Amino acid sequence: MARVTQAHLDARRRQILDAAALCFARNGFHATSVQDVLKEADLSAGAVYRYFSGKEELIAAIVSEVLGEVRAAFEEAAGQSPPPPPDRLVASVLSRTLALREGLTLDGTPAFPRLVVQVWSEIPRNEELAAVLREGYNAVRAAWGRIVEGYQDAGTMRSDVPPDHVARTMIAAVLGFIAQQALFGPAPVEVLRDGLRALMSMPELAPEA
């Protein structure tokens, strides 16, 4: 019997995850069956169940993968002194995340933003998925907090604002931008980058008497 290589196993796992992502983005989690994923991946049930026990494990794996990529990117930035400025950093990480999934499209448009919204809608009903998302969010938030501390140590960001407040705001900006794409259509990452850059350039006005 021919020996199955790790590269083959990784490629098959990727094939299954991409097929599931497309199905979830297209029809939502509850309207998607394992049979839909099998058809999209053009694989047998045995091939899929070798890697995943069912839909819940599939969606958890997709979420964990994305959050892991984002966390690693921000943790790498947190180790730089000083970290890249927020507009460049956010654009770089989001561009990388989208580029890794540029082959996943529905009706010619990127499927990833729609997938993100579908995951959000599932959170109130799926405590296991909520726990995965909560853990990933907290890790990204902590990494952003360290990035902000790097800005403050370098004197490029005011030090009277708690780092966690900035971290939450930056995450909200990215999630809001993704939600806009899901609702209103694609937009280049440069839109978010330029918007942040413009906000960062505003002079601080003296408070009114």
Side-chain angles (χ1 to χ4, degrees):
M1 180 180 297
R3 181 172 176 267
V4 178
T5 66
Q6 186 61 46
H8 173 82
L9 295 174
D10 292 345
R12 183 56 54 85
R13 187 176 188 275
R14 173 84 274 137
Q15 180 182 355
I16 296 167
L17 286 176
D18 287 350
L22 280 174
C23 290
F24 295 147
R26 182 186 298 120
N27 298 318
F29 183 74
H30 285 281
T32 297
S33 67
V34 174
Q35 288 299 319
D36 293 329
V37 176
L38 298 178
K39 183 178 179 180
E40 185 73 41
D42 194 23
L43 294 172
S44 67
V48 172
Y49 285 119
R50 176 177 183 177
Y51 296 87
F52 303 100
S53 61
K55 289 195 303 181
E56 288 76 10
E57 194 170 334
L58 276 165
I59 196 169
I62 293 169
V63 171
S64 296
E65 181 181 61
V66 174
L67 289 173
E69 293 166 2
V70 173
R71 182 187 68 243
F74 286 132
E75 287 178 346
E76 178 184 347
Q80 300 179 40
S81 183
D87 56 328
R88 279 174 34 204
L89 178 55
V90 166
S92 172
V93 174
L94 184 55
S95 293
R96 191 185 318 174
T97 302
L98 295 175
L100 288 171
R101 293 159 182 85
E102 63 183 357
L104 300 179
T105 60
L106 295 172
D107 301 324
T109 61
F112 181 72
R114 288 176 58 177
L115 175 64
V116 170
V117 172
Q118 293 289 3
V119 169
W120 291 345
S121 70
E122 180 60 18
I123 295 303
R125 296 186 291 261
N126 190 325
E127 179 54 38
E128 182 178 344
L129 180 60
V132 170
L133 190 63
R134 191 181 307 116
E135 180 182 359
Y137 169 78
N138 287 337
V140 172
R141 184 173 138 203
W144 250 115
R146 292 192 294 275
I147 290 169
V148 174
E149 290 171 354
Y151 296 148
Q152 293 174 337
D153 290 343
T156 57
M157 181 176 286
R158 52 189 296 172
S159 59
D160 60 337
V161 177
D164 186 58
H165 291 193
V166 182
R168 287 174 176 266
T169 300
M170 296 308 300
I171 294 171
V174 173
L175 294 181
F177 184 69
I178 292 173
Q180 286 183 37
Q181 293 196 57
L183 294 171
F184 308 118
V189 172
E190 288 74 20
V191 170
L192 179 60
R193 182 202 63 194
D194 293 347
L196 290 173
R197 185 171 297 168
L199 291 172
M200 290 162 55
S201 70
M202 291 181 65
E204 185 174 356
L205 302 178
E208 296 182 1

